[in-house]
Amino acid sequence: MSEPLIEISALSKVFQRDSVEVRALDRVDMQVFPGDFVCLMGPSGSGKSTLLNIIAGVDRPSEGSVIVAGESLNEMSEDELAAWRNHHVGFVFQHFNLIPVLTAFENVELPLLLTSLSKKERREHVTTAMELVGLTDRMDHYPRQLSGGQEQRVAIARAIVTDPTCVLADEPTGDLDAHSAREVLEVLKGLNEQFKKTIMMVTHDPHAAAYASTRYQLEKGVFSKEGARQTV
Amino acid sequence: MKIPLRYNLRSLLVRWVGTLMTAIGIGLTVAIFIVMNALVNGLDSTFVQTGRENQLVIIRQGSLAETNSYFDRGLYETVRLLDGIAHDKSGQPLASGEITVIINHPRLTGESANVLIRGVSDMAFAVRPEVKITSGRKFRDGLRELVVSQSLANRFQNMQIGKTIHIGRSDWRVVGLMEAGGTAYDSEIWADYEDVAQEWDRPIYSSILVRANDAKAAESLTKRIKDDQRINLQALDQKTYFKDQMVSSIGIKALGLFIAVVMGIGSCFAAMNMMYSAVMGRMKEVGTLRALGFKRRSILSSFLVESVILALAGGILGCLMALPLHGLSTGTANFISFSEVLFHFRITPTILLKGLAFAAIVGVLGGILPARRAARIKLVEVLRD
Ligand SMILES: Nc1ncnc2c1ncn2[C@@H]1O[C@H](COP(=O)(O)OP(=O)(O)O)[C@@H](O)[C@H]1O
Ligand SMILES: [Mg+2]
């Protein structure tokens, strides 16, 4: 077996709310291999988003280590993390998080503005990403002119346009109807199967979970015994 | 600038009501700033334009201005015969003995202001070719006649041709109007020297304006007068003399600066208010940009630039609001009077640029705190809804 792409050891996250400590993650170990399509399940408040955020370098662990693509996130500064995210992570949000005043094209182009690509190269990359999500005819539309499913597909195009190491999606179908959800999941599945993208997805939805190759079940900050790492 | 400008421009347009209100507020401040500068500029240039090379204003030693200077008539005879003074075609020395008197007179609008009356001979016109009678005629000796500057005639009661003004103990008739090319003499009334001296029972001179042959002659004349113990006079370069009168505009400058600063602070708060609400409304967007890899510095400069764009829009509005006042200065209300000095209201490109710079500063000062707030968001918290 190859080297793990994501390696998490003894990861804990404690939130301090007033005087109460909330232990969102409690000594979690996890390995994700290149080309995996991992699904993270579990009830609300079990720590799924927290885990995903830490892997994305958006949040920091209280204890334990996170190594992604051979780099330890623990030691990085805020700005180093920002650059690292731009390079390695494509993040897909539950509520799409498109910038409303920018067109689909401009939204997808955003992460490329941090690279050294020329305007022409950026246009090529954006077009390729929009082709992958099947929205080349919606390039000049503003988010409010798109359906929820289309918005989420634009968001996926934005997540993959930099060709990141892994795509992290937090309940990407949570705001979508069944039909749009299936379209989005098909896009993710295509990315995983055709382009060998490593994907980690948080979801409540058993239908969504069926697309994954590996499933984890979180309960109150720990992987439940029987749920931990089921490979389909 | 990593985050594209169109992001800021469109964000401002989306909230156009707030943007417009804030821009108008800043615009009013900038307009007032421009008006202040135009006033000071007009006043300054009136004095800067007054005077000719190699001419000397001779007044009493220790006096600051003609209006508080007086000396014996005999001194005029001494001075006009000094070496180095130029002569006219008929061989007369170009030296004009004059008396100045201040009167208080009502404006057309009712309130009174101080006006300077200068008692002169023909020589006064010879040493000031810029002064021209534009309508009517020159005053005649012994008849209590006046020539009034066009600008005073536009602003003051009974100063039009044919009207009569009661000054001193007599009635004086306006027989002509003059213009003086935007110099300080454009705010004066001229009459015959003997008439003025008699009216106020003052057989004295206030000043002598002389033309020297050249710069060297002017210099030696100045020294000669200074060194002569018998004549208690001082000779001042005419241009410098009027430039020094500009100190009177320092008060206006200080007042203008004070008003600009106070209003500027108000505008900073307006911009800050607008930018804070922009930042609060766009927390999620900021979080998204940060998650995509934009650094805090980029967020900071993006919001700062947005604030400056907002303020500059206000600055442009301010320029547009102030410009019609410049048009007025060539129209009917040709002058703005400030105490006894009337001057043109001048908006120059430099002043407009200053106004825009002023707006940009307002934008930076008003935007800095909101922009810092945006740059320092807690990423996880804004992304969690
Ligand atoms: N910023 C925070 N401050 C305090 N508590 C938090 C914060 N983020 C998450 N939590 C708590 O941590 C736990 C896990 O949250 P989360 O990872 O969002 O769960 P999930 O995504 O599985 O619903 C919850 O109890 C939540 O209330
Ligand atoms: Mg969650």
Side-chain angles (χ1 to χ4, degrees), chain A residues 19-173:
Chain A
S19 56
V20 190
E21 275 194 357
V22 181
R23 189 162 282 268
L25 294 172
D26 193 5
R27 300 190 63 77
V28 171
D29 298 302
M30 186 186 196
Q31 290 187 328
V32 177
F33 292 90
D36 273 0
F37 189 158
V38 177
C39 171
L40 211 52
M41 297 188 72
S44 257
S46 57
K48 307 182 296 295
S49 295
T50 304
L51 180 56
L52 206 68
N53 285 340
I54 289 173
I55 294 171
V58 161
D59 206 351
R60 288 173 181 279
S62 307
E63 283 163 43
S65 76
V66 188
I67 295 169
V68 182
E71 289 184 80
S72 170
L73 304 193
N74 299 57
E75 280 91 50
M76 291 191 200
S77 71
E78 282 282 313
D79 281 350
E80 283 167 346
L81 275 177
W84 181 86
R85 280 197 296 272
N86 182 248
H87 206 81
H88 290 286
V89 178
F91 209 97
V92 181
F93 305 87
Q94 177 179 353
H95 307 298
F96 327 136
N97 289 28
L98 297 179
I99 307 293
V101 297
L102 298 181
T103 63
F105 180 92
E106 290 162 348
N107 265 285
V108 176
E109 192 189 22
L110 270 180
L112 295 180
L113 297 176
L114 293 163
T115 67
S116 56
L117 294 179
S118 71
K119 200 175 156 81
K120 186 166 159 285
E121 289 167 324
R122 292 202 301 266
R123 172 158 280 281
E124 285 164 11
H125 281 62
V126 173
T127 310
T128 309
M130 289 295 271
E131 269 165 12
L132 278 174
V133 299
L135 284 174
T136 38
D137 55 339
R138 294 285 189 277
M139 298 269 226
D140 296 326
H141 287 226
Y142 284 92
R144 71 187 132 77
Q145 298 169 313
L146 300 171
S147 72
Q150 288 170 334
E151 278 196 78
Q152 193 60 300
R153 277 148 65 199
V154 172
I156 291 172
R158 182 176 66 185
I160 60 172
V161 76
T162 52
D163 194 21
T165 314
C166 54
V167 174
L168 305 176
D170 195 349
E171 305 198 35
T173 59

Side-chain angles (χ1 to χ4, degrees), chain B residues 11-24 274 310:
Chain B
S11 296
L12 285 169
L13 285 180
V14 164
R15 303 160 58 89
W16 68 271
V17 177
T19 300
L20 192 65
M21 289 316 199
T22 314
I24 289 174
M274 173 72 186
L310 171 67

Side-chain angles (χ1 to χ4, degrees), chain B residues 162-217:
Chain B
K163 298 256 176 80
T164 301
I165 309 170
H166 190 82
I167 38 181
R169 298 167 303 221
S170 324
D171 286 333
W172 295 66
R173 211 156 67 85
V174 179
V175 297
L177 298 180
M178 64 178 184
E179 272 182 20
T183 63
Y185 304 117
D186 258 325
S187 313
E188 298 186 357
I189 297 173
W190 284 15
D192 176 60
Y193 169 79
E194 295 294 344
D195 285 8
V196 176
Q198 271 178 27
E199 187 72 53
W200 276 273
D201 284 330
R202 295 167 85 183
I204 48 107
Y205 283 111
S206 301
S207 63
I208 307 168
L209 183 61
V210 303
R211 181 173 305 166
N213 280 320
D214 49 38
K216 242 186 108 212

